[in-house]
Amino acid sequence: MKFFLDTGIVEEIREAAKWGFVDGVTTNPSLIAQTGRSQSEVIKEICDIIDGPISAEVISTTTEEMIQEGQELAKIHPNVVIKLPLTEDGIAACKVFSSEGIKTNVTLCFSVNQALLAAKNGATYISPFVGRLDDIGHDGMGLIQEIRALYDNYGFNTQILAASIRHSQHVRDAALVGSDVATMPYKVMKLLFKHPLTDIGLEKFLADHQKSLNK
Ligand code: E4P
């Protein structure tokens, strides 16, 4: 499973890049707004740090404007993936980008039928929002599992990008149900290292080593 960072904060991306397993980055208008910088400036900087797919979301709402905005975003760097909302206009724009060989990430997916539409129009990635479904008492990870079955049934190449990941259990479950990618906040990625027995074990190894030196 590929790991994407879900952030616009370049300091976090720089830190996580040192770990060696960050495959890409996703952003959205809310994450970019938190940086207080322009989207193109942030995306350009991220592309210099991570050599992988970097999702930049359009804020236009009509197909025509999304195409125009997406084409501008795609000029920033060859790794830029155009993020489109799962609306009639977004799905139509997805078809245009796929036929031009421009990579897309269809976002705000909350149902199997929506995932089917994105795959039919050649989306590179579909982003089902696990955490936001859980928030309203639905089964977010169940949706990932169903989309996996759907795409495998028909041999769709669209990659499932588990989004709205809130904790490390979501990452574990996304991997076990066969999600292609999980995008997560920096703090969740950092938590993946953590196990109390690792800390206790290391402390003892180091203490025993120190004792042996003092003998
Ligand atoms: C990523 O592409 C999504 O925009 C993001 O994961 C949404 O996460 P949230 O539900 O925590 O805002």
Short mmCIF file of all heavy atoms in Angstrom, two decimals, residues 6 26 28 83 129 132 163-164 166 183, ligand 1:
data_model
loop_
_atom_site.label_atom_id
_atom_site.label_comp_id
_atom_site.label_asym_id
_atom_site.label_seq_id
_atom_site.Cartn_x
_atom_site.Cartn_y
_atom_site.Cartn_z
N ASP A 6 -1.24 13.80 3.93
CA ASP A 6 -2.40 14.63 3.68
C ASP A 6 -2.17 15.97 4.38
O ASP A 6 -2.60 16.16 5.52
CB ASP A 6 -3.63 13.91 4.26
CG ASP A 6 -4.95 14.44 3.75
OD1 ASP A 6 -4.97 15.04 2.67
OD2 ASP A 6 -5.97 14.21 4.43
N THR A 26 -1.30 14.57 -0.70
CA THR A 26 -2.60 15.09 -1.11
C THR A 26 -2.84 16.40 -0.37
O THR A 26 -2.44 16.56 0.78
CB THR A 26 -3.75 14.10 -0.78
OG1 THR A 26 -3.64 13.70 0.59
CG2 THR A 26 -3.73 12.88 -1.67
N ASN A 28 -6.00 19.74 -0.12
CA ASN A 28 -7.35 20.16 -0.50
C ASN A 28 -7.45 21.65 -0.15
O ASN A 28 -6.55 22.20 0.51
CB ASN A 28 -8.43 19.29 0.19
CG ASN A 28 -8.42 19.40 1.69
OD1 ASN A 28 -8.18 20.47 2.25
ND2 ASN A 28 -8.68 18.30 2.39
N LYS A 83 -7.13 17.18 -8.67
CA LYS A 83 -8.17 16.67 -7.77
C LYS A 83 -9.49 17.33 -8.14
O LYS A 83 -9.59 18.57 -8.17
CB LYS A 83 -7.77 17.00 -6.34
CG LYS A 83 -8.22 15.98 -5.33
CD LYS A 83 -7.55 16.26 -4.00
CE LYS A 83 -8.21 15.47 -2.91
NZ LYS A 83 -7.83 15.96 -1.59
N PHE A 129 -13.90 8.97 1.60
CA PHE A 129 -13.58 9.63 2.87
C PHE A 129 -14.02 8.76 4.05
O PHE A 129 -15.17 8.83 4.51
CB PHE A 129 -14.30 10.99 2.93
CG PHE A 129 -13.57 12.11 2.22
CD1 PHE A 129 -12.79 11.87 1.10
CD2 PHE A 129 -13.68 13.41 2.67
CE1 PHE A 129 -12.12 12.91 0.44
CE2 PHE A 129 -13.03 14.47 2.03
CZ PHE A 129 -12.24 14.21 0.92
N ARG A 132 -14.97 10.77 7.57
CA ARG A 132 -16.22 11.55 7.55
C ARG A 132 -17.44 10.63 7.53
O ARG A 132 -18.51 11.00 8.05
CB ARG A 132 -16.23 12.50 6.35
CG ARG A 132 -15.20 13.60 6.50
CD ARG A 132 -15.40 14.73 5.53
NE ARG A 132 -14.19 15.55 5.44
CZ ARG A 132 -14.07 16.63 4.71
NH1 ARG A 132 -15.09 17.06 3.99
NH2 ARG A 132 -12.93 17.30 4.68
N ALA A 163 -9.02 8.09 2.12
CA ALA A 163 -8.80 9.47 2.60
C ALA A 163 -9.59 9.70 3.89
O ALA A 163 -10.36 8.83 4.31
CB ALA A 163 -9.21 10.47 1.52
N SER A 164 -9.37 10.88 4.47
CA SER A 164 -10.03 11.22 5.73
C SER A 164 -9.68 10.16 6.78
O SER A 164 -10.55 9.67 7.50
CB SER A 164 -11.55 11.33 5.50
OG SER A 164 -12.20 11.82 6.63
N ARG A 166 -8.15 9.07 10.19
CA ARG A 166 -8.08 9.81 11.47
C ARG A 166 -7.11 9.20 12.48
O ARG A 166 -6.71 9.87 13.42
CB ARG A 166 -9.48 9.85 12.11
CG ARG A 166 -10.52 10.53 11.24
CD ARG A 166 -10.44 12.05 11.39
NE ARG A 166 -11.13 12.73 10.32
CZ ARG A 166 -12.44 12.89 10.23
NH1 ARG A 166 -13.22 12.41 11.14
NH2 ARG A 166 -12.96 13.54 9.21
N THR A 183 -3.94 8.04 2.45
CA THR A 183 -3.39 9.37 2.69
C THR A 183 -3.73 9.76 4.11
O THR A 183 -4.86 9.57 4.58
CB THR A 183 -3.87 10.41 1.67
OG1 THR A 183 -3.07 11.59 1.85
CG2 THR A 183 -5.35 10.76 1.78
C1 E4P B 1 -7.68 14.02 1.16
O1 E4P B 1 -7.47 13.97 0.00
C2 E4P B 1 -8.89 14.58 1.77
O2 E4P B 1 -9.14 15.85 1.30
C3 E4P B 1 -8.74 14.52 3.25
O3 E4P B 1 -8.23 13.26 3.61
C4 E4P B 1 -9.98 14.87 4.02
O4 E4P B 1 -9.76 14.61 5.38
P1 E4P B 1 -10.69 15.22 6.56
O5 E4P B 1 -12.00 14.52 6.50
O6 E4P B 1 -9.92 14.89 7.81
O7 E4P B 1 -10.80 16.68 6.29
#
